[in-house]
């Protein structure tokens, strides 16, 4: 069967990028992302909070001098920090792996793939988009049913809708990895298209 001259190159690059993007996602979410960032990135609201995410208490004189911002502002800042570290690791690893095998991805292609992963990662991790998609695809019941149970130090049992062990987390990871397929395909196409390597 006749194949265009770039088929093997394209398939190899696509497979490498797909593996890099997909396998790095859990590491970036669970090892690179800080606990504070993870706990604050879904904060929403116009109410004022301290840097630790706690609501401002006007009757607490011990915190009078602490800076405050809206909950939504803190949430956006937290997700931006997470996405910045995620993108830095992804870019660094992609460059290192492809160059180690003697291959050079064009800067335009590299940045396009990173932009796809970064932009969608931020939108999904803020939470509103994921909930909207879950509602549109009939997954809201799955999110509500599969929550994680936590046992506090004092023995109190609580449930958490979006932490480790929840359906939310599984849906989040599945979305990121599915989008990684598109990012890998775009990066591959931009690098291997006619004239792309010049």
């Amino acid at each position: 069967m006749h194949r265009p001259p770039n088929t093997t190159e394209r398939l190899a690059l696509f497979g490498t990028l797909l593996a890099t993007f997909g396998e790095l996602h859990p590491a970036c979410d669970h090892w690179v992302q800080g606990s504070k960032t993870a706990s604050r990135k879904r904060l929403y609201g116009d109410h004022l909070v301290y840097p630790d995410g706690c609501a401002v208490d006007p009757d607490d004189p011990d915190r009078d001098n602490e800076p405050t911002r809206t909950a939504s502002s803190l949430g956006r800042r937290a997700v931006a920090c997470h996405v910045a570290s995620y993108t830095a690791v992804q870019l660094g690893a992609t460059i290192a792996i492809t160059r180690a095998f003697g291959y050079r991805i064009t800067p335009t292609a590299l940045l396009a793939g990173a932009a796809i992963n970064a932009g969608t990662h931020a939108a999904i991790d803020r939470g509103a988009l994921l909930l909207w998609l879950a509602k549109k695809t009939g997954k809201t019941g799955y999110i509500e049913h599969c929550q994680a149970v936590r046992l506090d130090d004092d023995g109190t049992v609580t449930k958490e809708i979006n932490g480790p062990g929840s359906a939310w987390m599984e849906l989040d990871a599945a979305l990121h990895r599915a989008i990684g397929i598109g990012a890998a395909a775009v990066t591959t196409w931009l690098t291997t298209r006619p004239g792309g390597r010049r």
Side-chain angles (χ1 to χ4, degrees):
M1 184 173 78
H2 175 71
R3 288 191 176 97
N6 283 339
T7 298
T8 302
E9 176 189 356
R10 286 175 175 165
L11 288 172
L13 179 58
F14 176 72
T16 300
L17 293 172
L18 188 61
T20 303
F21 295 168
E23 297 307 314
L24 275 178
H25 172 254
C28 289
D29 266 3
H30 301 292
W31 286 95
V32 178
Q33 180 177 210
S35 298
K36 293 177 181 177
T37 300
S39 66
R40 296 172 191 162
K41 66 186 179 183
R42 291 188 190 95
L43 290 176
Y44 279 94
D46 294 329
H47 61 284
L48 294 177
V49 295
Y50 296 113
D52 62 4
C54 292
V56 169
D57 181 358
D59 297 325
D60 186 355
D62 294 336
R63 304 192 79 171
D64 281 346
N65 294 324
E66 288 189 47
T68 61
R69 63 187 338 146
T70 65
S72 288
S73 172
L74 184 60
R76 287 191 300 270
R77 181 185 174 110
V79 84
C81 288
H82 169 47
V83 170
S85 65
Y86 169 90
T87 303
V89 170
Q90 183 188 81
L91 279 171
T94 301
I95 292 168
I97 290 167
T98 53
R99 288 194 181 174
F101 288 107
Y103 197 88
R104 191 180 191 103
I105 296 175
T106 62
T108 300
L110 190 64
L111 293 176
I116 291 168
N117 279 325
T120 57
H121 202 102
I124 293 165
D125 275 24
R126 277 293 278 151
L129 176 63
L130 187 142
L131 286 175
W132 180 82
L133 286 171
K135 185 175 181 181
K136 291 293 183 184
T137 57
K139 298 295 181 188
T140 305
Y142 178 39
I143 290 175
E144 291 171 353
H145 175 71
C146 296
Q147 297 185 33
V149 175
R150 308 284 182 229
L151 183 63
D152 295 339
D153 291 339
D154 63 359
T156 304
V157 176
T158 58
K159 62 182 181 176
E160 185 178 66
I161 196 168
N162 58 15
S166 66
W168 179 307
M169 195 152 200
E170 296 296 330
L171 291 170
D172 171 278
L175 267 178
H176 290 314
R177 294 185 81 163
I179 290 166
I181 297 171
V186 168
T187 305
T188 300
W189 180 81
L190 288 172
T191 297
T192 60
R193 75 190 192 281
R197 300 294 299 273
R198 290 179 187 169

